[in-house]
Amino acid sequence: MNQRDRRKEPVASFDEFLALAWLGGFAVLCREFDLCKGQRFSYRLMWFLFQRLRKMQEHIMREFRWSGDLYLRHGNREFSEDSNILRSIVLPGDYLNNKGRESIRILRRKGKQAAQDAGILEPTDFECLQFGIWSAAKEWPLQLHDSEATTLLIRQALFDVDGESHPEDIELREILVERFSVAFENHRNDSTDAFNTWFFNSSVIKQLARQKKTRGGALEGKLLRDGLIRLGWDAYTYVAECLNVQMQAFANALPELLTDWESQIFTEMHQRQAHWGNLCLLQLWERVSFAGPAFRHVIENHGDRQAISACHRMLQDYSALAKARQGADRRGKSSKKQGQAFEFNENRDSERSVSAFDLDDEVPKPGRRSASRNDVRGAKAFAARVFLDQKVGCKCQSQEEADWHVMPDTNSTDEGPISILLTCETCGFESEKRVDFQHLEALGQAVF
Ligand SMILES: [Zn+2]
């Protein structure tokens, strides 16, 4: 890749960029197509619905940032022999251990090799996971044969939705649009802060549900949420149209036109694509950290069906892992606090600031040493400290031979003791301990 390509980082955050691009595209559409008042209202409504949808509980935000996120503590297991959630995805036979089970150790080993082949000399734990799952996805790509299957895959990679084999309830849809439009009109003159407080609060959903006197009457919460998510998918399409138009205008306005190579990358990243469910790649941004290498491969190999199918498999893997993780975490919670129902956190803040699309941040260059190699060494030293501190030993003959890992239970955020899993990847040793969080922190401070 010696081509001089002009990749820009347009703004500080992804959400900001999305908002600007939407606005630009909307302005172009208004002018070029002379949109009437009603149409302009629809576009605005859909933009807000798009943002609202991304704040709903069903929007999957689970990150898999290291192998600890795949491990299962005893209390979280459905079957006692499952020590991780890898059973939920498709892995080739050579990823299984001698007992025929999915193994994080083997996944990491495969991933490490693949990452090194791609030029990362000392991949981090996260890169080993990414590349391990991507290697498996390339061996078993997901072939999708129609646009409906693609759309469903993309939706399920972003939202916790079922297959939805039943047809959409058209009347419910009309009722939701009516109610949304009226509520929207009522808040038209709010200040921006007041509007946001109202619109992004969970009570807006309740307000829409509890309208006994309007068409459709009081609606059951689940029905309304399902309807909203279906309607919200249209909002994704509306937003895609605006982004597409804006980015096309941007490309046309460049003083020096895009070269063929740049144009291919630009098309993959900023234009609607059938293989992204007719959305723009930016709308799938929250999955880029998990499937980064697979996305990059598609972007740089425009039109390569195999690359797309491997990326699709990775997206399917993501939704399966997220579902499995959620199920396991709920089991863990209910075994701790019996009878307490899982609560939706409607007000969760999903606006993390993600650096807008400078691909070079995310992916390896040939010969690059991973920036986090000190973390890799730190993690090893930390594990050794914890093993000694807890007076735990594995079957390995020496500390050099052993490959120790410490996985704190990432779900315990309370003060006081937390669960940690001590494992050795060389001999398969596994032990669960409870330690005081502060104590663990102190052990960590000595090495990081
Ligand atoms: Zn060992």
Side-chain angles (χ1 to χ4, degrees):
M1 266 185 289
N2 278 326
Q3 286 97 332
R4 180 179 66 92
D5 50 0
R6 292 166 283 171
R7 297 191 202 180
K8 304 265 184 240
E9 186 168 346
V11 282
S13 92
F14 163 72
D15 288 300
E16 230 174 278
F17 175 72
L18 207 55
L20 285 173
W22 175 81
L23 190 64
F26 179 54
V28 174
L29 283 174
C30 286
R31 200 184 54 218
E32 301 288 309
F33 295 95
D34 203 14
L35 299 183
C36 72
K37 195 178 169 210
Q39 287 169 316
R40 291 201 302 269
F41 182 76
S42 295
Y43 273 92
R44 278 205 197 91
L45 191 69
M46 287 298 182
W47 165 244
F48 280 98
L49 194 55
F50 169 76
Q51 294 177 78
R52 190 66 185 80
L53 208 65
R54 297 178 69 238
K55 295 258 187 190
M56 282 175 76
Q57 179 65 37
E58 287 83 351
H59 180 214
I60 316 173
M61 295 302 289
R62 178 80 211 190
E63 296 265 18
F64 295 96
R65 303 295 307 194
W66 67 309
S67 40
D69 291 333
L70 303 176
Y71 269 100
L72 289 176
R73 294 191 300 117
H74 285 284
N76 294 17
R77 293 178 188 180
E78 188 175 6
F79 305 102
S80 61
E81 66 274 20
D82 281 346
S83 60
N84 61 59
I85 55 173
L86 288 173
R87 197 155 60 92
S88 58
I89 66 174
V90 180
L91 289 176
D94 56 343
Y95 278 65
L96 307 182
N97 64 18
N98 51 17
K99 289 178 190 149
R101 301 227 169 84
E102 292 77 10
S103 150
I104 293 179
R105 182 174 57 83
I106 299 174
L107 180 77
R108 280 167 46 134
R109 198 179 62 217
K110 296 262 186 197
K112 187 173 182 183
Q113 188 57 57
Q116 285 173 337
D117 291 346
I120 306 174
L121 299 183
E122 261 186 88
T124 59
D125 178 61
F126 175 56
E127 287 166 330
C128 292
L129 287 190
Q130 265 188 330
F131 277 85
I133 295 173
W134 186 38
S135 293
K138 283 194 282 190
E139 278 189 53
W140 220 318
L142 179 64
Q143 313 283 355
L144 296 172
H145 297 288
D146 58 48
S147 61
E148 269 172 48
T150 310
T151 303
L152 184 62
L153 172 88
I154 300 293
R155 286 190 64 182
Q156 289 182 330
L158 297 175
F159 291 93
D160 183 9
V161 287
D162 300 327
E164 290 178 351
S165 50
H166 58 94
E168 184 179 6
D169 181 340
I170 300 299
E171 201 192 351
L172 173 66
R173 181 199 167 82
E174 287 171 9
I175 291 170
L176 287 177
V177 173
E178 274 168 23
R179 290 186 185 184
F180 233 113
S181 307
V182 171
F184 211 67
E185 278 293 331
N186 291 342
H187 287 267
R188 246 167 87 97
N189 298 324
D190 287 4
S191 68
T192 306
D193 283 348
F195 181 86
N196 287 341
T197 309
W198 164 70
F199 191 65
F200 292 108
N201 193 291
S202 62
S203 64
V204 73
I205 307 262
K206 290 184 195 125
Q207 269 173 39
L208 292 174
R210 264 192 236 123
Q211 295 189 4
K212 287 186 194 150
K213 287 180 188 155
T214 56
R215 179 184 169 197
L219 295 172
E220 191 243 320
K222 171 89 172 86
L223 185 75
L224 185 117
R225 297 183 76 89
D226 287 352
L228 262 188
I229 290 173
R230 282 214 168 188
L231 185 60
W233 197 249
D234 283 6
Y236 264 77
T237 313
Y238 270 75
V239 170
E241 195 186 343
C242 291
L243 296 179
N244 199 63
V245 164
Q246 167 62 21
M247 295 314 286
Q248 190 56 55
F250 171 81
N252 293 343
L254 285 173
E256 196 185 326
L257 290 181
L258 296 173
T259 63
D260 286 350
W261 164 250
E262 286 173 338
S263 176
Q264 284 180 16
I265 292 177
F266 190 86
T267 303
E268 279 294 342
M269 286 193 71
H270 298 302
Q271 305 284 274
R272 288 200 290 192
Q273 294 295 328
H275 50 264
W276 306 137
N278 229 2
L279 303 179
C280 298
L281 178 61
L282 272 186
Q283 292 173 284
L284 314 182
W285 195 252
E286 51 276 50
R287 291 298 83 85
V288 166
S289 79
F290 179 82
F295 275 119
R296 187 186 176 98
H297 197 62
V298 173
I299 291 167
E300 296 193 335
N301 295 275
H302 182 62
D304 181 340
R305 294 304 311 172
Q306 281 298 103
I308 292 167
S309 299
C311 192
H312 281 164
R313 174 67 75 193
M314 253 193 119
L315 290 173
Q316 189 189 50
D317 287 346
Y318 172 83
S319 56
L321 288 171
K323 258 204 165 74
R325 186 72 257 176
Q326 188 185 43
D329 293 347
R330 284 181 186 174
R331 268 192 297 282
K333 267 190 191 154
S334 61
S335 66
K336 263 188 242 161
K337 307 173 191 169
Q338 282 208 338
Q340 184 168 334
F342 183 81
E343 279 175 26
F344 281 132
N345 173 11
E346 183 67 50
N347 296 322
R348 170 194 56 196
D349 178 19
S350 65
E351 269 176 298
R352 297 151 309 143
S353 179
V354 187
S355 146
F357 61 109
D358 183 8
L359 277 171
D360 297 330
D361 276 352
E362 297 282 340
V363 276
K365 290 193 192 79
R368 179 175 72 90
R369 273 179 164 270
S370 167
S372 321
R373 66 183 191 279
N374 289 330
D375 292 352
V376 178
R377 297 205 179 114
K380 282 194 192 314
F382 174 61
R385 272 187 80 96
V386 177
F387 268 69
L388 292 175
D389 178 78
Q390 295 290 308
K391 301 187 178 64
V392 173
C394 66
K395 295 183 204 121
C396 294
Q397 297 296 322
S398 68
Q399 207 174 306
E400 281 70 46
E401 187 192 331
D403 185 5
W404 289 340
H405 292 269
V406 176
M407 318 275 166
D409 176 6
T410 40
N411 300 298
S412 24
T413 46
D414 311 341
E415 299 284 305
I418 64 163
S419 284
I420 53 170
L421 191 67
L422 304 174
T423 62
C424 171
E425 300 213 342
T426 309
C427 65
F429 168 85
E430 203 186 291
S431 166
E432 206 177 311
K433 296 275 174 195
R434 286 185 75 73
V435 294
D436 201 65
F437 181 74
Q438 270 88 30
H439 180 60
L440 196 67
E441 211 176 18
L443 291 175
Q445 270 157 8
V447 287
F448 284 112

